[in-house]
């Protein structure tokens, strides 16, 4: 992200950073990444859909 990638790459990087944050139990940080992905102009519709799923908690770490 520091290298200013194209919009599609940037959006997917943010989505996957969100998913990683979810996996380790950092839901607030994950939400920030998903919001950032949704704010990327030129993000693909699939990246946006995946970020929206993340916002809804689809990738959250399940507590036992």
């Amino acid at each position: 992200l520091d290298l200013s990638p194209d919009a599609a790459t940037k959006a997917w990087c943010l989505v996957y950073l969100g998913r990683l944050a979810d996996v380790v139990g950092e839901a607030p940080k994950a939400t920030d990444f998903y919001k950032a992905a949704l704010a990327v102009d030129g993000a693909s519709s699939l990246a946006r859909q995946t970020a929206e799923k993340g916002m809804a908690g689809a990738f959250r770490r399940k507590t036992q």
Side-chain angles (χ1 to χ4, degrees):
L1 292 173
D2 290 338
L3 300 174
S4 302
D6 61 272
T9 302
K10 182 176 182 176
W12 277 112
C13 285
L14 291 164
V15 166
Y16 280 106
L17 285 169
R19 290 182 76 170
L20 289 170
D22 267 339
V23 167
V24 297
E26 297 180 3
K29 187 180 277 189
T31 298
D32 290 342
F33 283 124
Y34 296 134
K35 285 181 181 177
L38 290 169
V40 173
D41 260 350
S44 70
S45 60
L46 185 55
R48 289 185 187 283
Q49 289 172 1
T50 307
E52 288 169 356
K53 284 182 185 178
M55 293 282 295
F59 311 117
R60 296 268 151 76
R61 182 180 189 181
K62 308 297 184 229
T63 57
Q64 297 180 10

Coordinates of all heavy atoms in Angstrom, one line a residue:
L1 N 0.8 -1.2 0.0 CA 0.0 0.0 0.0 C 0.9 1.3 0.0 O 0.4 2.3 -0.5 CB -0.9 0.0 1.2 CG -2.0 -1.1 1.2 CD1 -2.8 -1.1 2.5 CD2 -3.0 -0.9 0.1
D2 N 2.1 1.2 0.5 CA 3.0 2.3 0.5 C 3.4 2.7 -0.9 O 3.9 3.8 -1.1 CB 4.2 2.0 1.4 CG 3.8 2.0 2.9 OD1 2.8 2.6 3.3 OD2 4.6 1.4 3.7
L3 N 3.3 1.8 -1.8 CA 3.8 2.0 -3.2 C 2.7 2.5 -4.1 O 2.9 2.6 -5.3 CB 4.4 0.7 -3.7 CG 5.6 0.1 -3.0 CD1 6.0 -1.2 -3.6 CD2 6.8 1.1 -3.0
S4 N 1.6 2.9 -3.5 CA 0.5 3.4 -4.3 C 0.0 2.5 -5.5 O 0.1 2.9 -6.6 CB 0.8 4.8 -4.9 OG 1.1 5.7 -3.8
P5 N -0.4 1.3 -5.1 CA -0.9 0.4 -6.2 C -2.1 0.9 -6.9 O -2.8 1.8 -6.4 CB -1.2 -0.9 -5.4 CG -1.5 -0.4 -4.1 CD -0.7 0.8 -3.8
D6 N -2.5 0.3 -8.0 CA -3.7 0.6 -8.7 C -4.9 0.3 -7.8 O -4.8 -0.4 -6.8 CB -3.8 -0.2 -10.0 CG -3.9 -1.7 -9.8 OD1 -2.8 -2.3 -9.7 OD2 -5.0 -2.2 -9.6
A7 N -6.0 0.9 -8.1 CA -7.2 0.8 -7.3 C -7.6 -0.6 -6.9 O -8.0 -0.9 -5.8 CB -8.4 1.5 -7.9
A8 N -7.6 -1.5 -7.9 CA -8.0 -2.9 -7.7 C -7.1 -3.6 -6.7 O -7.6 -4.2 -5.8 CB -8.1 -3.7 -9.0
T9 N -5.8 -3.4 -6.9 CA -4.9 -4.0 -6.0 C -5.0 -3.4 -4.6 O -5.0 -4.2 -3.6 CB -3.4 -3.8 -6.5 OG1 -3.3 -4.4 -7.8 CG2 -2.4 -4.5 -5.6
K10 N -5.2 -2.1 -4.5 CA -5.3 -1.5 -3.2 C -6.5 -2.0 -2.4 O -6.5 -2.3 -1.2 CB -5.4 0.0 -3.3 CG -5.5 0.8 -2.1 CD -5.5 2.3 -2.3 CE -5.5 3.0 -1.0 NZ -5.5 4.5 -1.1
A11 N -7.6 -2.1 -3.1 CA -8.9 -2.5 -2.5 C -8.7 -4.0 -2.0 O -9.1 -4.3 -0.8 CB -10.0 -2.5 -3.5
W12 N -8.2 -4.9 -2.8 CA -8.0 -6.2 -2.4 C -7.0 -6.4 -1.2 O -7.2 -7.2 -0.3 CB -7.6 -7.1 -3.5 CG -8.8 -7.6 -4.3 CD1 -9.1 -7.2 -5.6 CD2 -9.8 -8.4 -3.9 NE1 -10.3 -7.8 -5.9 CE2 -10.7 -8.6 -4.9 CE3 -10.1 -9.1 -2.7 CZ2 -11.9 -9.3 -4.8 CZ3 -11.2 -9.9 -2.6 CH2 -12.1 -10.0 -3.6
C13 N -6.0 -5.6 -1.2 CA -5.0 -5.6 -0.1 C -5.7 -5.2 1.2 O -5.5 -5.8 2.2 CB -3.9 -4.6 -0.3 SG -2.7 -5.2 -1.5
L14 N -6.6 -4.2 1.1 CA -7.3 -3.7 2.3 C -8.3 -4.8 2.8 O -8.5 -5.1 4.0 CB -8.0 -2.4 2.1 CG -7.0 -1.2 1.9 CD1 -7.8 0.0 1.3 CD2 -6.5 -0.8 3.3
V15 N -8.9 -5.5 1.8 CA -9.9 -6.5 2.2 C -9.1 -7.7 2.9 O -9.6 -8.1 3.9 CB -10.6 -7.1 0.9 CG1 -11.3 -8.4 1.2 CG2 -11.6 -6.1 0.4
Y16 N -8.0 -8.1 2.4 CA -7.3 -9.2 3.0 C -6.6 -8.8 4.3 O -6.5 -9.6 5.2 CB -6.2 -9.8 2.0 CG -6.9 -10.7 1.1 CD1 -7.2 -10.4 -0.3 CD2 -7.4 -11.9 1.5 CE1 -7.8 -11.2 -1.1 CE2 -8.1 -12.8 0.7 CZ -8.3 -12.4 -0.7 OH -9.0 -13.3 -1.5
L17 N -6.2 -7.5 4.5 CA -5.8 -7.0 5.8 C -6.9 -7.1 6.8 O -6.7 -7.5 7.9 CB -5.2 -5.6 5.7 CG -3.8 -5.5 5.0 CD1 -3.5 -4.1 4.7 CD2 -2.8 -6.2 5.9
G18 N -8.1 -6.8 6.3 CA -9.3 -6.9 7.2 C -9.6 -8.3 7.6 O -9.9 -8.6 8.7
R19 N -9.5 -9.2 6.6 CA -9.7 -10.7 6.9 C -8.6 -11.2 7.9 O -9.0 -11.9 8.8 CB -9.7 -11.5 5.6 CG -10.9 -11.2 4.8 CD -11.0 -12.0 3.5 NE -11.4 -13.4 3.9 CZ -11.7 -14.3 3.0 NH1 -11.7 -13.9 1.7 NH2 -12.1 -15.5 3.3
L20 N -7.4 -10.8 7.7 CA -6.4 -11.2 8.7 C -6.6 -10.6 10.1 O -6.5 -11.4 11.1 CB -5.0 -10.7 8.2 CG -4.4 -11.4 7.0 CD1 -3.2 -10.7 6.5 CD2 -4.1 -12.9 7.3
A21 N -7.1 -9.4 10.1 CA -7.4 -8.8 11.4 C -8.6 -9.6 12.1 O -8.6 -9.8 13.3 CB -7.7 -7.3 11.3
D22 N -9.5 -9.9 11.3 CA -10.7 -10.7 11.8 C -10.2 -12.1 12.4 O -10.6 -12.5 13.4 CB -11.7 -11.0 10.7 CG -12.8 -9.9 10.7 OD1 -13.0 -9.3 11.7 OD2 -13.5 -9.8 9.7
V23 N -9.3 -12.7 11.6 CA -8.8 -14.1 12.1 C -8.1 -14.0 13.4 O -8.3 -14.9 14.2 CB -7.9 -14.7 11.0 CG1 -7.2 -15.9 11.5 CG2 -8.7 -15.0 9.7
V24 N -7.4 -12.9 13.7 CA -6.7 -12.8 15.0 C -7.5 -12.2 16.0 O -7.1 -11.9 17.1 CB -5.3 -12.2 14.8 CG1 -4.4 -13.0 13.9 CG2 -5.5 -10.7 14.3
G25 N -8.8 -11.9 15.7 CA -9.7 -11.4 16.7 C -9.7 -9.9 16.9 O -10.1 -9.4 18.0
E26 N -9.2 -9.1 15.9 CA -9.2 -7.7 16.0 C -10.3 -7.1 15.2 O -10.0 -6.4 14.1 CB -7.8 -7.2 15.6 CG -6.7 -7.7 16.5 CD -5.3 -7.2 16.2 OE1 -5.2 -6.4 15.2 OE2 -4.4 -7.6 16.8
A27 N -11.5 -7.2 15.6 CA -12.7 -6.8 14.8 C -12.7 -5.3 14.5 O -13.0 -4.9 13.4 CB -14.0 -7.2 15.5
P28 N -12.4 -4.4 15.5 CA -12.4 -3.0 15.1 C -11.4 -2.6 14.0 O -11.7 -1.8 13.1 CB -12.0 -2.3 16.5 CG -12.4 -3.3 17.5 CD -12.2 -4.6 16.9
K29 N -10.2 -3.2 14.1 CA -9.2 -2.9 13.1 C -9.7 -3.5 11.7 O -9.5 -2.9 10.7 CB -7.9 -3.6 13.5 CG -6.7 -3.2 12.6 CD -5.4 -3.9 13.0 CE -4.8 -3.0 14.1 NZ -3.4 -3.5 14.4
A30 N -10.3 -4.7 11.8 CA -10.8 -5.3 10.5 C -11.8 -4.4 9.9 O -11.8 -4.1 8.7 CB -11.4 -6.7 10.8
T31 N -12.7 -3.9 10.7 CA -13.8 -3.0 10.2 C -13.1 -1.7 9.5 O -13.6 -1.3 8.5 CB -14.7 -2.5 11.3 OG1 -15.3 -3.7 11.8 CG2 -15.8 -1.6 10.9
D32 N -12.1 -1.2 10.1 CA -11.4 0.0 9.5 C -10.9 -0.4 8.1 O -11.0 0.4 7.2 CB -10.3 0.5 10.4 CG -10.8 1.1 11.7 OD1 -12.0 1.5 11.7 OD2 -10.0 1.2 12.6
F33 N -10.3 -1.6 8.0 CA -9.7 -2.0 6.7 C -10.9 -2.2 5.7 O -10.7 -1.8 4.5 CB -8.9 -3.3 6.8 CG -7.6 -3.1 7.4 CD1 -7.2 -3.8 8.5 CD2 -6.6 -2.3 6.8 CE1 -5.9 -3.7 9.1 CE2 -5.4 -2.1 7.4 CZ -5.0 -2.8 8.5
Y34 N -12.0 -2.8 6.1 CA -13.1 -3.0 5.2 C -13.7 -1.7 4.7 O -14.0 -1.5 3.5 CB -14.2 -3.8 5.8 CG -13.8 -5.3 6.1 CD1 -14.1 -5.8 7.4 CD2 -13.1 -6.0 5.2 CE1 -13.7 -7.1 7.7 CE2 -12.7 -7.3 5.5 CZ -13.0 -7.9 6.8 OH -12.6 -9.2 7.1
K35 N -13.8 -0.7 5.6 CA -14.3 0.6 5.3 C -13.4 1.3 4.3 O -13.8 1.9 3.3 CB -14.4 1.5 6.5 CG -15.6 1.1 7.4 CD -15.7 2.1 8.6 CE -16.9 1.7 9.5 NZ -16.9 2.6 10.7
A36 N -12.1 1.1 4.5 CA -11.1 1.7 3.6 C -11.2 1.1 2.2 O -11.1 1.8 1.2 CB -9.7 1.6 4.2
A37 N -11.4 -0.2 2.2 CA -11.5 -0.9 0.9 C -12.8 -0.4 0.2 O -12.7 -0.2 -1.1 CB -11.6 -2.4 1.1
L38 N -13.8 -0.2 0.9 CA -15.1 0.3 0.2 C -14.9 1.8 -0.3 O -15.6 2.2 -1.2 CB -16.2 0.3 1.2 CG -16.7 -1.2 1.5 CD1 -17.7 -1.2 2.7 CD2 -17.4 -1.8 0.3
A39 N -14.0 2.5 0.3 CA -13.8 3.9 -0.1 C -12.8 4.1 -1.3 O -12.7 5.2 -1.8 CB -13.2 4.7 1.1
V40 N -12.2 3.0 -1.7 CA -11.3 3.0 -2.9 C -12.1 3.2 -4.2 O -12.9 2.4 -4.5 CB -10.4 1.8 -3.0 CG1 -9.6 1.8 -4.2 CG2 -9.6 1.6 -1.7
D41 N -11.8 4.3 -4.8 CA -12.4 4.6 -6.1 C -11.8 3.6 -7.1 O -10.6 3.5 -7.2 CB -12.1 6.0 -6.6 CG -13.2 7.0 -6.4 OD1 -14.3 6.5 -6.1 OD2 -13.0 8.2 -6.5
G42 N -12.7 2.9 -7.9 CA -12.2 2.0 -8.9 C -12.0 0.6 -8.3 O -11.5 -0.3 -9.1
A43 N -12.5 0.3 -7.1 CA -12.4 -1.1 -6.6 C -13.4 -1.9 -7.4 O -14.5 -1.5 -7.8 CB -12.8 -1.1 -5.1
S44 N -13.1 -3.2 -7.6 CA -14.0 -4.1 -8.3 C -15.2 -4.4 -7.5 O -15.2 -4.2 -6.2 CB -13.3 -5.4 -8.6 OG -13.1 -6.1 -7.4
S45 N -16.3 -4.8 -8.2 CA -17.5 -5.1 -7.4 C -17.3 -6.3 -6.5 O -17.9 -6.3 -5.4 CB -18.7 -5.4 -8.4 OG -18.4 -6.4 -9.3
L46 N -16.5 -7.2 -6.9 CA -16.2 -8.4 -6.0 C -15.4 -8.0 -4.8 O -15.8 -8.5 -3.7 CB -15.4 -9.5 -6.8 CG -15.2 -10.8 -6.1 CD1 -16.5 -11.4 -5.6 CD2 -14.5 -11.8 -6.9
A47 N -14.5 -7.1 -4.9 CA -13.8 -6.6 -3.7 C -14.8 -5.8 -2.8 O -14.7 -6.0 -1.6 CB -12.6 -5.6 -4.1
R48 N -15.6 -5.1 -3.4 CA -16.6 -4.3 -2.6 C -17.6 -5.3 -1.9 O -17.9 -5.2 -0.7 CB -17.5 -3.4 -3.4 CG -16.7 -2.2 -3.9 CD -17.6 -1.2 -4.7 NE -16.8 -0.2 -5.2 CZ -16.3 0.9 -4.5 NH1 -16.5 1.0 -3.3 NH2 -15.6 1.8 -5.1
Q49 N -18.0 -6.4 -2.6 CA -18.9 -7.4 -2.0 C -18.2 -8.1 -0.8 O -18.8 -8.3 0.2 CB -19.4 -8.4 -3.0 CG -20.3 -7.8 -4.0 CD -20.6 -8.8 -5.2 OE1 -20.0 -10.0 -5.2 NE2 -21.3 -8.4 -6.2
T50 N -16.9 -8.4 -1.0 CA -16.2 -9.1 0.0 C -16.0 -8.2 1.2 O -16.1 -8.7 2.4 CB -14.8 -9.6 -0.5 OG1 -15.1 -10.4 -1.7 CG2 -14.1 -10.4 0.5
A51 N -15.7 -6.9 1.0 CA -15.6 -6.0 2.1 C -16.9 -5.8 2.9 O -16.9 -5.8 4.1 CB -15.1 -4.6 1.6
E52 N -18.0 -5.8 2.1 CA -19.3 -5.7 2.8 C -19.6 -7.0 3.6 O -20.1 -6.9 4.7 CB -20.4 -5.5 1.7 CG -20.4 -4.1 1.1 CD -21.3 -3.9 -0.1 OE1 -21.9 -4.9 -0.5 OE2 -21.3 -2.8 -0.6
K53 N -19.2 -8.1 3.1 CA -19.4 -9.4 3.9 C -18.5 -9.3 5.2 O -18.9 -9.7 6.3 CB -18.9 -10.6 3.1 CG -19.9 -11.0 2.1 CD -19.4 -12.3 1.4 CE -20.3 -12.7 0.2 NZ -19.8 -13.8 -0.5
G54 N -17.3 -8.7 5.1 CA -16.5 -8.6 6.2 C -17.1 -7.6 7.2 O -17.0 -7.9 8.4
M55 N -17.7 -6.5 6.7 CA -18.3 -5.6 7.6 C -19.5 -6.2 8.4 O -19.8 -5.9 9.5 CB -18.9 -4.4 6.8 CG -17.8 -3.5 6.2 SD -17.1 -2.4 7.3 CE -18.4 -1.4 7.8
A56 N -20.1 -7.2 7.7 CA -21.2 -7.9 8.4 C -20.8 -9.0 9.3 O -21.6 -9.7 10.0 CB -22.1 -8.5 7.3
G57 N -19.5 -9.2 9.4 CA -18.9 -10.2 10.3 C -18.7 -11.6 9.8 O -18.4 -12.5 10.5
A58 N -18.8 -11.8 8.5 CA -18.6 -13.1 7.9 C -17.3 -13.8 8.1 O -17.2 -15.0 8.1 CB -18.8 -13.0 6.4
F59 N -16.3 -13.0 8.4 CA -14.9 -13.5 8.5 C -14.4 -13.4 10.0 O -13.3 -13.7 10.3 CB -13.9 -12.9 7.6 CG -14.4 -12.8 6.2 CD1 -14.7 -11.6 5.6 CD2 -14.7 -13.9 5.5 CE1 -15.1 -11.5 4.3 CE2 -15.2 -13.9 4.2 CZ -15.4 -12.7 3.6
R60 N -15.3 -13.0 10.9 CA -14.9 -12.9 12.3 C -14.5 -14.2 12.9 O -15.0 -15.2 12.7 CB -16.0 -12.3 13.1 CG -16.4 -10.9 12.7 CD -15.6 -9.8 13.5 NE -15.5 -8.6 12.7 CZ -16.4 -7.7 12.5 NH1 -17.6 -7.9 13.0 NH2 -16.1 -6.7 11.8
R61 N -13.5 -14.1 13.8 CA -13.0 -15.2 14.5 C -14.2 -15.7 15.4 O -14.8 -14.9 16.2 CB -11.8 -14.9 15.3 CG -11.2 -16.0 16.1 CD -10.0 -15.4 16.9 NE -9.3 -16.5 17.5 CZ -8.3 -16.4 18.2 NH1 -7.8 -15.2 18.4 NH2 -7.7 -17.4 18.8
K62 N -14.5 -17.0 15.4 CA -15.5 -17.5 16.2 C -15.0 -17.8 17.6 O -14.0 -18.5 17.8 CB -16.1 -18.8 15.6 CG -16.5 -18.7 14.1 CD -17.6 -17.7 13.9 CE -18.1 -17.7 12.5 NZ -18.2 -16.4 11.9
T63 N -15.7 -17.3 18.6 CA -15.3 -17.6 20.0 C -16.0 -18.8 20.5 O -17.1 -19.1 20.1 CB -15.6 -16.4 20.9 OG1 -17.0 -16.1 20.8 CG2 -14.8 -15.1 20.5
Q64 N -15.4 -19.5 21.4 CA -15.9 -20.7 21.9 C -16.5 -20.6 23.3 O -16.1 -20.0 24.1 CB -14.9 -21.9 21.8 CG -14.5 -22.1 20.4 CD -13.5 -23.2 20.3 OE1 -13.2 -23.9 21.3 NE2 -12.9 -23.4 19.1

